[in-house]
Amino acid sequence: MKRLFRAAALSLAMVSAAVGSASAEGLIRISEQFGTLYIPFHILRDQNLIEKHGKELGIDIKVEWLKLSGGNAVNDALLSGSVDVASAGIGPFFTVWDRTKGAVKIIGAFGATPNYLLTNKPDIKSLKDFGPNDRIATPAAGVSVQARTLQIAAEKEFGAGNQGKLDSIQVTLPHPDATAALISGSTEITGHLSNSPFQEQALKDPKVHKVWSSYDVLGGPFTPTVAYTTVKWRDANPKTYEAFFRAFREATEIAAKDHRLAADTYVKVEKSKLDPAFVKQIIDNPEVQFTLVPQKSEVFADFLYRTGAIKTRPDGWKAYTFPELHDQAGS
């Protein structure tokens, strides 16, 4: 009981810190994860766009980066004040939005891109074919955007109230580790709800095939990952925030217009061994769209509220995004 009390007290303290404190103007600490969907971050980092826009606003900005995996780790970093701008799936975002009663909001999305459910078992053609001895890897079991997409798919496949039917066979693994495990075939991992470029890498192996795409589950293009911060930090650091938003917007526009530069920048910043031509082929996919505006996020919000994962039902996508996005068509 004492341990539970201490954990609850620590959680409350972290939320209070996020709502009530902010770092100094001119410093921005940003978290990022794995995948080509973070290309706008790679571009703004490589071209020093935050610093450029800061100077235009009359401020020198120091930028610090932190690589994390999984929405839980990202939210903990934001709430503890270790980062100023978090990046994670829409599922973990809604968790922290609900937890802080709206004191955290979306700055922008990383674009629409599909997530593939992959398997190395030839007999698996649908979710019904996964058994109790199978294991499906997601970045944060039960809470990541991939995990929530799996729950939405499970509800559709097994019926209302069965969204958690496959939760017991989910395991937490970063995408690079899950991809290696799936390809090797020598671990317990038989499924992986992935992202690019890892899903395309895995599909090069003849033992791996796609079961479905998140676009199949959600009914079209979907922005799975977003950048977000606290209202308090934005209000206390208006020039730093504005410089970041301008840089994020410019980098997204560059990525949309110049896929070759985007691919080259991904390989450079990530120090990846992938062929830039392979990365360009991934983002040339017409299903990939670079945009800051959330798409189908309301589908996630409705699901999470209906299944009790969040307590507050947002009144449309503008309720959890900052006003810089509100002149565009989101969902």
Side-chain angles (χ1 to χ4, degrees):
M1 181 66 71
K2 289 182 179 179
R3 187 173 300 172
L4 288 173
F5 178 79
R6 285 196 298 268
L10 177 60
S11 175
L12 179 60
M14 290 170 66
V15 172
S16 298
V19 173
S21 65
S23 64
E25 182 87 282
L27 170 66
I28 185 168
R29 300 161 300 170
I30 306 169
S31 77
E32 60 177 337
Q33 298 194 58
F34 300 95
T36 53
L37 54 84
Y38 287 95
I39 280 175
F41 268 13
H42 301 140
I43 291 173
L44 68 81
R45 185 175 184 175
D46 185 56
Q47 297 190 18
N48 298 314
L49 296 182
I50 298 174
E51 295 88 338
K52 183 191 83 169
H53 285 288
K55 289 185 182 300
E56 291 174 354
L57 292 167
I59 184 172
D60 292 324
I61 299 176
K62 180 181 179 182
V63 183
E64 297 178 358
W65 293 89
L66 181 65
K67 179 88 78 171
L68 297 171
S69 178
N72 284 338
V74 171
N75 284 345
D76 285 347
L78 182 68
L79 294 180
S80 68
S82 299
V83 300
D84 304 308
V85 173
S87 56
I90 193 70
F93 163 74
F94 277 124
T95 298
V96 74
W97 174 83
D98 186 59
R99 186 177 173 186
T100 62
K101 302 185 184 303
V104 174
K105 292 188 176 184
I106 292 172
I107 304 168
F110 285 93
T113 183
N115 299 115
Y116 297 161
L117 175 60
L118 307 177
T119 182
N120 56 14
K121 295 181 72 172
D123 294 337
I124 292 180
K125 307 297 183 184
S126 73
L127 293 186
K128 293 179 179 177
D129 298 323
F130 284 96
N133 295 323
D134 290 307
R135 294 294 181 269
I136 301 174
T138 65
V143 297
S144 65
V145 64
Q146 288 85 2
R148 296 301 189 186
T149 302
L150 189 61
Q151 290 174 347
I152 293 172
E155 183 181 63
K156 289 187 173 184
E157 185 118 357
F158 301 110
N162 287 297
Q163 68 274 4
K165 190 173 180 66
L166 300 179
D167 284 0
S168 62
I169 65 170
Q170 277 195 53
V171 295
T172 298
L173 272 181
H175 288 307
D177 297 340
T179 302
L182 193 71
I183 292 173
S184 76
S186 60
T187 74
E188 63 179 356
I189 303 301
T190 56
H192 176 206
L193 193 41
S194 189
N195 76 354
S196 297
F198 306 105
Q199 57 198 21
E200 288 82 7
Q201 284 179 275
L203 286 170
K204 285 186 171 184
D205 191 298
K207 300 189 300 294
V208 177
H209 71 271
K210 180 173 75 171
V211 180
W212 45 248
S213 162
S214 58
Y215 284 14
D216 301 327
V217 174
L218 299 169
F222 163 60
T223 50
T225 304
V226 293
Y228 49 98
T229 190
T230 65
V231 173
K232 181 69 177 180
W233 184 83
R234 177 179 180 270
D235 290 345
N237 301 273
K239 289 186 178 181
T240 305
Y241 177 89
E242 179 65 21
F244 172 77
F245 178 77
R246 291 183 186 183
F248 195 13
R249 181 176 59 194
E250 182 179 356
T252 299
E253 291 169 352
I254 291 171
K257 293 176 182 176
D258 194 338
H259 287 185
R260 185 176 301 281
L261 180 147
D264 289 343
T265 304
Y266 171 83
V267 171
K268 176 183 176 182
V269 173
E270 286 291 302
K271 297 180 173 58
S272 173
K273 296 180 180 178
L274 291 177
D275 184 344
F278 175 67
V279 177
K280 182 178 180 295
Q281 183 180 1
I282 292 170
I283 59 179
D284 280 343
N285 181 345
E287 291 187 325
V288 174
Q289 304 168 14
F290 289 102
T291 175
L292 288 180
V293 185
Q295 303 293 330
K296 293 195 180 298
S297 63
E298 293 169 342
V299 173
F300 258 77
D302 289 344
F303 171 78
L304 294 175
Y305 176 76
R306 181 166 47 79
T307 57
I310 60 175
K311 297 177 181 179
T312 304
R313 186 175 202 161
D315 183 20
W317 69 276
K318 293 181 181 180
Y320 47 80
T321 57
F322 285 116
E324 288 81 6
L325 303 177
H326 292 179
D327 63 343
Q328 300 179 65
S331 63

